[in-house]
Amino acid sequence: MSVFSARTDFPRTWNPLARALAERRARGLPLLDLTETNPTRVGLPAPEPVLLASVEALGYAPEPQGLLSARQAVAAYLATRGARVSPEHLVLSASTSESYGWLFKLLCEPGDNVLVPAPSYPLFEYLTRLEGVETRTYRLPRAHGFGLDVDEVAAARDARTRAVLVVNPGNPTGHFLQEGELESLGALCAESGLALLSDEVFSDFAWDAEPGRVPTVAGRELPMLTFSLSGLSKVAGLPGLKLGWTHVGGPAAVRDEALARLELVADTYLPVNTPVQLALPGLLAHAPLFQAALLARVRDNRRLLLEARPSDARWDVVPAHGGWSTVLRIPLEPGEEATCLALLDEGVGVQPGYFYDFTGGAFLVLSLLPPPEVFSAALEPLVRVLATSG
Ligand SMILES: Cc1ncc(COP(=O)(O)O)c(C=O)c1O
């Protein structure tokens, strides 16, 4: 019998792509890295570091939900997104990942499950398993532009399902939740006693205007317990500062009970670090500058990609409306991994769709964050390698 818990028995073998990438790096070969999604490494505007330095930053105030001044700053930020919320209904944490952990503790007994979208960022499998919670997948059909299909959600439920997770907009699929989808989801959650966890970390990064888009579920009158999650990691491009927030909504009695219980969970881990909470108003004031630069970058790179695609290409750029990435649908042969390896030989790093649980075809995922000179230099080898597929 192992001394370790089964919860931490994750596979750690390297796939051929990770091995090839490590080898390339070890040999010191150059790489046009279209897997780079670290916002602090791609030349985007950063806030003044001085924001984090003050005498008060060394203080400690045991407010489990987070300092009121910091929660007021989040409420003011959400108001600029059209969501009127009370700071009393916000809980700060060290990241959205930590918020997920707290919410799974709040909602699930060991062995219960939550419904997660696929394709999606491969984060939930780890976050749930570490809490003794299982996942059941609902597919985002390509025919719906990888949008939410409530029948798929309904079909994925079982007797131990406690919550539905929605990523709005999807990562890497870039589909925003629509009013009609939220309405059907609300009815399903209310009828089945499920909570809604809405991951809105990319919701400020819309590439266009769409009628009927739901930017956030915070501040909405919904018939079920609702948690809306975001944080500095994407909103201000500062994952290293470790600050996330959760807005708790839904019918008043169950919302207040959730807040009381979350307060206890948060208190158990002690509040978020003081310097980042004190700096939060300044960091959120900087966010629009960062977001405007990021959106210009993403739009430019996507335009370069669309322009580089030959009109008779056997691959397509999957339509999307937001986020930091783009998805290519490529020929089934030679397949995702062989294509990624061929691109790596040409000095271009991209991710295969299977990292994100795409099915029903072959896909590549490209980050749109790299500087334009890196992104455009990668396009010639990309187009050339893809021309030999299929
Ligand atoms: C959809 C989604 N949610 C959450 C996270 C994690 O964010 P945080 O740094 O706040 O834990 C990521 C990270 O890439 C993400 O893609």
Side-chain angles (χ1 to χ4, degrees), residues 303-388:
R303 181 179 44 76
L304 289 172
L305 174 66
L306 290 167
E307 284 169 7
R309 181 185 174 277
S311 54
D312 60 349
R314 276 168 297 173
W315 54 274
D316 279 304
V317 181
V318 172
H321 299 277
W324 294 8
S325 302
T326 195
V327 179
L328 304 189
R329 184 154 190 258
I330 60 168
L332 283 177
E333 294 299 334
E336 294 176 353
E337 193 154 85
T339 305
C340 290
L341 287 169
L343 281 166
L344 202 54
D345 271 345
E346 298 285 336
V348 177
V350 301
Q351 289 183 312
Y354 75 80
F355 277 12
Y356 297 86
D357 200 7
F358 278 87
T359 53
F363 299 88
L364 298 181
V365 177
L366 277 53
S367 168
L368 293 170
L369 294 200
E373 62 278 11
V374 173
F375 196 85
S376 52
L379 290 177
E380 185 277 320
L382 180 80
V383 170
R384 185 158 36 81
V385 167
L386 289 179
T388 62

Side-chain angles (χ1 to χ4, degrees), residues 95-98 100 121 123 167 171 199 201-202 231 233-234 239:
S95 61
T96 47
S97 303
E98 185 175 68
Y100 276 118
Y121 188 72
L123 175 77
V167 183
N171 176 19
D199 182 327
V201 298
F202 288 109
S233 158
K234 306 291 185 291

Side-chain angles (χ1 to χ4, degrees), residues 54-356:
S54 66
V55 174
E56 295 78 33
L58 297 176
Y60 169 64
E63 288 188 42
Q65 282 183 229
L67 294 178
L68 181 60
S69 59
R71 285 181 285 126
Q72 282 166 337
V74 175
Y77 152 78
L78 284 170
T80 66
R81 269 70 188 154
R84 294 172 62 82
V85 306
S86 161
E88 305 297 319
H89 300 158
L90 286 163
V91 182
L92 305 188
S93 62
S95 61
T96 47
S97 303
E98 185 175 68
S99 308
Y100 276 118
W102 292 357
L103 295 175
F104 297 145
K105 289 185 220 302
L106 175 73
L107 300 169
C108 300
E109 303 296 346
D112 282 349
N113 66 69
V114 295
L115 306 185
V116 302
S120 192
Y121 188 72
L123 175 77
F124 303 129
E125 192 191 322
Y126 291 83
L127 291 173
T128 48
R129 186 161 151 183
L130 290 171
E131 301 297 337
V133 172
E134 292 175 10
T135 56
R136 289 171 68 85
T137 297
Y138 66 90
R139 303 294 320 173
L140 302 172
R142 191 163 62 85
H144 288 226
F146 294 109
L148 186 121
D149 177 342
V150 161
D151 291 340
E152 292 279 341
V153 182
R157 281 170 310 171
D158 74 3
R160 298 205 64 175
T161 303
R162 310 293 304 139
V164 182
L165 274 57
V166 165
V167 183
N168 179 32
N171 176 19
T173 45
H175 175 96
F176 276 86
L177 190 66
Q178 303 294 307
E179 286 294 346
E181 295 168 355
L182 178 59
E183 197 180 321
S184 324
L185 192 60
L188 178 77
C189 287
E191 168 200 312
S192 314
L194 305 179
L196 173 68
L197 275 59
S198 177
D199 182 327
E200 298 168 354
V201 298
F202 288 109
S203 108
D204 289 340
F205 302 96
W207 305 338
D208 54 22
E210 269 181 300
R213 174 182 285 166
V214 177
T216 173
V217 297
R220 299 285 300 252
E221 295 236 337
L222 292 166
M224 69 295 199
L225 187 57
T226 305
F227 303 93
S228 142
L229 283 68
S230 191
L232 283 186
S233 158
K234 306 291 185 291
V235 165
L238 297 166
L241 294 194
K242 303 299 295 174
L243 185 113
W245 53 83
T246 302
H247 176 266
V248 185
V254 67
R255 176 201 64 204
D256 292 347
E257 181 65 19
L259 280 162
R261 289 180 184 228
L262 273 178
E263 181 174 330
L264 218 122
V265 176
D267 202 23
T268 307
Y269 290 88
L270 296 187
V272 181
N273 73 84
T274 311
V276 76
Q277 294 194 73
L278 292 175
L280 194 55
L283 297 170
L284 288 172
H286 155 80
L289 187 70
F290 163 76
Q291 293 183 6
L294 185 138
L295 274 171
R297 170 78 55 88
V298 161
R299 284 203 189 97
D300 283 352
N301 283 342
R302 195 172 150 88
R303 181 179 44 76
L304 289 172
L305 174 66
L306 290 167
E307 284 169 7
R309 181 185 174 277
S311 54
D312 60 349
R314 276 168 297 173
W315 54 274
D316 279 304
V317 181
V318 172
H321 299 277
W324 294 8
S325 302
T326 195
V327 179
L328 304 189
R329 184 154 190 258
I330 60 168
L332 283 177
E333 294 299 334
E336 294 176 353
E337 193 154 85
T339 305
C340 290
L341 287 169
L343 281 166
L344 202 54
D345 271 345
E346 298 285 336
V348 177
V350 301
Q351 289 183 312
Y354 75 80
F355 277 12
Y356 297 86

